[in-house]
Amino acid sequence: MIHEYDVAVVGYGPTGLVLASALGKAGHRVVVFERWPGLYGLPRLTHIDGETARTIQAVGDLDLALRDASPLEHYRYFNGQGELLFEIDWRGKSCGHPAHIAMYQPDIEDSIDRHVRASGTVEVNQGWAVVNVHPTDAGVELTARPWTKSRTGQWAHAGEERTVSAKYLVGADGANSFVRATLGIERSDLGVHDNWLNIDCERLRPLPERFDRTTQFCDPVRGHMFMPIGKSRQRFELAVLPGEDIAAFEDPGYAWSWLRDTHGLGPEDVKILRNVVYGFEARIAERWRTGRVFLAGDAAHTTPPYMGQGACSGMRDGITLGWKLDLVLRGLAEDGLLDTYEAERRPHATTITETSTMLGRVANTHDPAAAAARDQAFRDGTAPPPPPFPTIVAGVVRHGADGRPSPLAGTLAPQGVVAKDGVQGLFDDVVGRGFSLVSATDPRGVLTGEQLDFLAELGATTATLAPGAQDSVTDVAGTYRDFLHDNGVEAFIGRPDFHLFWAGSLAELPAAVGELRDRLRWVSA
């Protein structure tokens, strides 16, 4: 069967943007349908981590994306009396970037959109709503028609409809996903039903330093928080309690009154850009793949905002699914590789959603007695700590004889500044993207010709820290030297989504390369 496109993407938010750019850069034919006529243009997402910054580095213009960004060092939770309950340390670096960053979402979306349109292989249709999805064993047909907010979809303009076919379809169309609903996929509900008023502002003059920190006030009377949106903007949020009139909170007069009474701010300090009540939920789709159709981002998992990880999780979906689709579309891997997308991403996203739900319960304790008990538990150290940030535990990571991931497999790979052939910069920009083999000494002495051919066909980059070796790079800041030394390893294999497939000794490298080939369902000769 001949398809017009390799992949159809429904939805052009952060998840769809990342996926479309990744596939476009790989040269695949992609069609995107997005019902809104343009990019959103306002910040819903206000925080990313270093891993997400590395994703943007891969699919967009990082300088444009972070032109108004600033690092975040802590996330503090206070009770209603201003007593510190706990603090999440966000300092340090990850993947070559600040570990946590306050940023302006439109800059990120603009930077990726430019790369999507420059690819030459991605067709973006904004202002088009998908109205029918018809999967077959050989591909997917979908029908779309022009959409405006004033239209209900029940109009008789058959001539406006357009039907296309693709080998695969990805529904990245948000929490109310049409693709998910069409497939009849249900969602598990973690029981989050919170409403919060979101007040986004532009800073008209310097604000007190406290507003530069992400701060949550867990007041049983009414929880609220503030955080910077990069350098130039500010977010304030407050809980809308059960039974309260949402329309009253969205009246601009209420926002100004609350800003004045709570923070002493007025029109001379900030300009309100948006004043809207959001409903938070925590739901996970029961399956993320049906044949040739996949779910990604909020269509697969909706996450409360208390960790600032919802959009980050969706962008992880996009970069991970992108490289797996690339290998399958190029005929290098079996279709079964795509089953590892959900196997890897579901546990990771679920842990983040569950942790966010737990933090949300702390922030939304409205009963005074329960809040007092909560505060005491933090004082005496009996409150359960948040679980560690998840790693990849299944799919394309090396496993030991016990069936568990081998040491460091599934964790994030480092990215440092390197120099090669007179060019200096971050590793991905200088050495290249995709799979990577980084070693202290030349690995060719332990690999067979067949294994070297496999790595070459995979497009893996090789970087050797030893001076004078083939593919030698200069480890300018010692990032890789320190990583290898601190973890007692001699080499590692990184994936295109920046997670480690394996790390260990050179003696283990041949077996690791063999398992990588197997786990990729490699079919190339």
Side-chain angles (χ1 to χ4, degrees), residues 170-370:
V170 181
D173 50 340
N176 298 315
S177 169
F178 174 83
V179 174
R180 187 188 64 237
T182 299
L183 296 176
I185 298 175
E186 300 293 335
R187 294 185 294 169
S188 59
D189 190 340
L190 278 65
V192 176
H193 305 284
D194 305 328
N195 289 320
W196 281 63
L197 174 64
N198 179 299
I199 308 170
D200 285 344
C201 303
E202 178 184 346
R203 297 184 179 199
L204 299 181
R205 61 186 185 183
L207 300 181
E209 183 185 1
R210 68 179 183 275
F211 293 117
D212 293 333
R213 295 183 286 273
T214 301
T215 307
Q216 187 89 37
F217 294 94
C218 308
D219 190 340
V221 175
R222 186 182 306 281
H224 61 100
M225 66 88 67
F226 55 74
M227 67 177 299
I229 306 174
K231 299 174 183 176
S232 306
R233 300 168 183 88
Q234 188 74 31
R235 169 165 293 175
F236 300 92
E237 293 183 4
L238 60 144
V240 179
L241 305 182
E244 292 185 321
D245 180 15
I246 289 177
F249 280 78
E250 292 184 334
D251 183 330
Y254 179 88
W256 284 121
S257 176
W258 185 85
L259 286 172
R260 182 184 63 250
D261 295 344
T262 307
H263 296 298
L265 298 177
E268 67 279 6
D269 302 298
V270 296
K271 173 185 177 182
I272 294 179
L273 302 175
R274 185 177 55 167
N275 182 61
V276 63
V277 172
Y278 274 105
F280 302 150
E281 60 179 27
R283 298 186 179 185
I284 309 291
E286 292 183 352
R287 64 182 187 277
W288 295 16
R289 179 183 189 182
T290 298
R292 290 176 172 266
V293 182
F294 299 84
L295 300 178
D298 283 355
H301 47 83
T302 53
T303 304
Y306 305 105
M307 284 181 69
Q309 281 288 330
C312 295
S313 287
M315 295 167 84
R316 290 187 190 98
D317 294 346
I319 196 74
T320 299
L321 187 54
W323 71 259
K324 294 181 178 185
L325 280 167
D326 171 50
L327 292 180
V328 172
L329 289 167
R330 286 197 285 145
L332 299 176
E334 296 176 355
D335 176 89
L337 171 64
L338 300 176
D339 289 333
T340 66
Y341 161 65
E342 181 176 351
E344 292 177 1
R345 291 294 309 128
R346 173 191 280 276
H348 195 282
T350 298
T351 297
I352 288 173
T353 301
E354 291 173 344
T355 304
S356 297
T357 298
M358 182 191 75
L359 293 173
R361 292 193 183 107
V362 174
N364 288 282
T365 302
H366 303 306
D367 178 77

Side-chain angles (χ1 to χ4, degrees), residues 15 90 105 116 175 210 226 234 248 305 327 341 356 366 374 378 390 410 471 479 486 505:
T15 303
W90 276 358
Q105 179 178 346
V116 169
R210 68 179 183 275
F226 55 74
Q234 188 74 31
L327 292 180
Y341 161 65
S356 297
H366 303 306
R374 173 204 65 195
F378 280 108
D471 296 323
T479 301
D486 293 347
S505 68

Side-chain angles (χ1 to χ4, degrees), residues 10-197:
V10 182
Y12 201 51
T15 303
L17 279 158
V18 168
L19 178 61
S21 183
L23 291 171
K25 286 177 179 292
H28 300 295
R29 299 166 302 155
V30 180
V31 62
V32 177
F33 289 104
E34 164 59 53
R35 66 173 183 157
W36 294 102
L39 298 175
Y40 188 64
L42 288 171
R44 293 159 295 179
L45 162 68
T46 60
H47 158 271
I48 60 171
D49 53 24
E51 177 189 353
T52 308
R54 193 174 184 180
T55 296
I56 298 166
Q57 180 189 348
V59 299
D61 180 340
L62 189 67
D63 290 337
L64 170 59
L66 301 184
R67 62 181 177 176
D68 192 56
S70 58
L72 293 168
E73 295 188 346
H74 297 93
Y75 187 1
R76 294 183 170 95
Y77 276 67
F78 292 88
N79 66 10
Q81 289 73 47
E83 177 185 1
L84 181 65
L85 297 178
F86 64 95
E87 179 178 76
I88 302 174
D89 189 348
W90 276 358
R91 292 173 296 180
K93 300 194 76 173
S94 174
C95 292
H97 303 286
H100 294 271
I101 303 167
M103 35 48 68
Y104 185 54
Q105 179 178 346
D107 289 343
I108 287 180
E109 295 189 343
D110 287 344
S111 80
I112 302 175
D113 178 61
R114 292 185 185 185
H115 278 234
V116 169
R117 296 177 189 276
S119 70
T121 64
V122 182
E123 175 191 322
V124 179
N125 300 280
Q126 293 169 295
W128 285 76
V130 172
V131 296
N132 186 51
V133 172
H134 178 61
T136 69
D137 291 341
V140 185
E141 286 189 347
L142 66 157
T143 301
R145 60 174 58 145
W147 180 91
T148 64
K149 192 173 182 180
S150 62
R151 283 181 164 179
T152 65
Q154 305 299 319
W155 70 94
H157 293 286
E160 294 182 294
E161 289 190 347
R162 179 183 173 197
T163 298
V164 301
S165 64
K167 296 175 183 176
Y168 295 95
L169 166 66
V170 181
D173 50 340
N176 298 315
S177 169
F178 174 83
V179 174
R180 187 188 64 237
T182 299
L183 296 176
I185 298 175
E186 300 293 335
R187 294 185 294 169
S188 59
D189 190 340
L190 278 65
V192 176
H193 305 284
D194 305 328
N195 289 320
W196 281 63
L197 174 64

